[in-house]
Amino acid sequence: MRARDKAAVSALRATLAALDNAEAVPVDEAELRGLALERAPVGAGATEAARRELSEHGVVDAVRAEAAERLEVAAQLTAPAHADRAARLRAEAAVLLRFLDNPGIA
């Protein structure tokens, strides 16, 4: 990371966001329509919900899905004009797969 590897930074940021999204709890539609204004919860943290904790297997699955998505999009970018984008996506996928193959990498 010290070399400011743009592919690694991009892949890790996107994967962390995907993991964060995976930990979110689903919102019930009734909660969205919800309460009258005077009954609405107020104050800092009043509407916070506990997040799910992903198991190690869940995290690995999410990282694999992110890598697979990048490889799939890269395979679809066949036009010469998209060669740089496809190469960057393959590099990002390689970074993610390297973390899965060598979990001790920091």
Side-chain angles (χ1 to χ4, degrees):
M1 292 300 160
R2 290 185 179 256
R4 305 237 186 249
D5 184 357
K6 290 182 182 181
V9 170
S10 177
L12 294 174
R13 280 186 181 156
T15 302
L16 287 173
L19 290 171
D20 195 40
N21 288 339
E23 291 175 339
V25 293
V27 177
D28 186 19
E29 193 173 315
E31 290 179 32
L32 293 176
R33 281 186 255 133
L35 305 169
L37 184 60
E38 62 272 7
R39 293 183 58 209
V42 219
T47 58
E48 291 293 319
R51 298 183 65 80
R52 292 187 289 184
E53 280 195 38
L54 293 177
S55 65
E56 184 176 342
H57 182 68
V59 171
V60 168
D61 286 346
V63 174
R64 280 194 202 288
E66 286 292 308
E69 181 180 341
R70 282 166 174 72
L71 291 173
E72 182 180 325
V73 172
Q76 293 173 0
L77 296 174
T78 57
H82 299 296
D84 290 341
R85 173 82 172 129
R88 192 170 89 217
L89 287 169
R90 285 187 191 97
E92 289 179 10
V95 167
L96 296 176
L97 294 173
R98 198 172 1 162
F99 272 97
L100 291 177
D101 293 340
N102 301 314
I105 296 175

